[in-house]
Amino acid sequence: MKGLSLTLILFFLLGTTGTKAQEIIAHRGYWKTEGSTQNSIASLKKANEINVYGSEVDIWLSSDGVPVVNHDADVTLDGKKLIVEETPYATLRKVKLSNGEPLPTVEEYLDTFKDCKNIKLIIEFKTHTSKDNEDELARKVINMVNDRGLQNRVEYISFGINFVQQVKRLAPEAPVYYLNGDLTPQILKKMGLTGLDYSRNVIKKNPQWVAEAHDLGLKVNVWTVNTPEDIDRMIELKVDYITTDEPLLVREKLSK
Ligand code: MG
C-alpha cells in the first residue's frame, strides 16, 4: 500500500514538474494567410482556426476615448499620416486594412473573440503620450473584458511600466507580462508580474534568465521568433511561449 502511494506521488510529481509543453502565440493574429492581415478581425479568427495557445493584438486610445486596434502610433488615411491618439474614432474608422476590413475597435475584437474558444487573447497596451490616456485605456479595456466574462481568457503585455502596474491594480488575477527587456526576472517577481515577454535578442544575450525566471515561478514568452534557427534556439532554451509570425512552422518544429 505504502509502495503504491509512493509510486502515485512520484508519478504525480513527474507529471506536473516534468517537461511542460511549449505554446505558440500568433503575433498580431495569424495573418500570413489568404484574406488576413496584421491585427485584423480575420487574423483573430484564423488564429482560432489553427488552434494555437493565443492571438496577440496591439491597442490604442483614440482622441475621443475609443479603444482601437492598431500596431503603429499612426495610421495613413488618403495619403496623410494621422496620430491615433490625436484622431477621433470616426476618422480612424475610415482607415481600411489591406484585407478590406475597417480598422477594428477593441469592442468588436472582444465580441469576435468571445466565439474564438480555442485561443486566449494577448492584449498589448501600446505606450501612450500621457499617463491619463494609458489609465483610461487600461480601465476601459479591462471593464470590457469583465463585462463579457472573458477574464480567464485574456492576458496583458506592455512595454510600459505604468500599464503593467495598472493591470495589477485593476485585474489582479490577470496574467501580465513586461516587454521591454531591461528588467531581471528577480525585479519582475518583486513587481508581482506573471513573467517576462522579451525579444529573442534579449533572451539570446541573457539565456540564463529563462531558468532564473522558472526558478522564481515566472513564465517566459519570447518575440518575435520567425527564423528556423531562432525557433530551434527558443525550443532548446525551454521558453514557455513562442510569439511568432510563423505559427505553423513553430508547430512543425515543436512536434519533432
Ligand atoms: Mg504587439
Side-chain angles (χ1 to χ4, degrees), residues 27-28 56-58 71 124 126 157:
H27 181 237
R28 307 179 193 171
E56 189 253 2
V57 64
D58 305 291
H71 178 266
E124 179 180 349
K126 301 306 284 188
I157 61 177

Side-chain angles (χ1 to χ4, degrees), residues 54-226:
S55 187
E56 189 253 2
V57 64
D58 305 291
I59 67 165
W60 288 92
L61 191 69
S62 72
S63 67
D64 51 348
V66 178
V68 294
V69 172
N70 198 59
H71 178 266
D72 293 349
D74 53 44
V75 291
T76 304
L77 182 63
D78 302 328
K80 272 200 306 196
K81 282 218 183 287
L82 303 170
I83 306 290
V84 176
E85 274 185 276
E86 296 171 358
T87 308
Y89 166 64
T91 307
L92 293 171
R93 187 63 173 180
K94 293 180 189 154
V95 173
K96 290 277 182 286
L97 308 186
S98 68
N99 68 343
E101 281 180 36
L103 186 132
T105 64
V106 172
E107 277 206 296
E108 288 170 326
Y109 223 78
L110 290 174
D111 286 339
T112 303
F113 173 63
K114 257 178 106 163
D115 297 322
C116 294
K117 300 221 158 80
N118 298 329
I119 53 171
K120 304 226 185 222
L121 185 62
I122 318 300
I123 297 180
E124 179 180 349
F125 288 114
K126 301 306 284 188
T127 312
H128 284 55
T129 55
S130 75
K131 181 177 184 311
D132 282 351
N133 280 1
E134 293 190 347
D135 292 356
E136 183 178 344
L137 180 62
R139 182 171 41 80
K140 283 182 169 167
V141 168
I142 287 168
N143 283 340
M144 285 175 188
V145 168
N146 292 347
D147 288 347
R148 288 164 179 77
L150 296 170
Q151 298 92 316
N152 295 330
R153 296 181 50 216
V154 173
E155 304 184 4
Y156 300 93
I157 61 177
S158 188
F159 282 92
I161 294 278
N162 179 51
F163 270 125
V164 297
Q165 287 172 335
Q166 289 304 319
V167 173
K168 283 298 298 170
R169 195 170 64 80
L170 300 168
E173 305 299 320
V176 55
Y177 294 76
Y178 179 65
L179 291 166
N180 205 34
D182 56 330
L183 299 179
T184 63
Q186 289 74 18
I187 293 172
L188 298 178
K189 175 74 178 178
K190 277 192 193 126
M191 290 166 67
L193 303 195
T194 311
L196 45 122
D197 186 353
Y198 286 173
S199 85
R200 64 193 187 283
N201 291 330
V202 168
I203 293 299
K204 282 196 274 187
K205 223 180 276 171
N206 304 279
Q208 76 284 4
W209 280 359
V210 179
E212 285 177 25
H214 287 161
D215 287 345
L216 291 163
L218 300 177
K219 298 277 192 189
V220 178
N221 189 346
V222 184
W223 53 271
T224 306
V225 186
N226 292 338

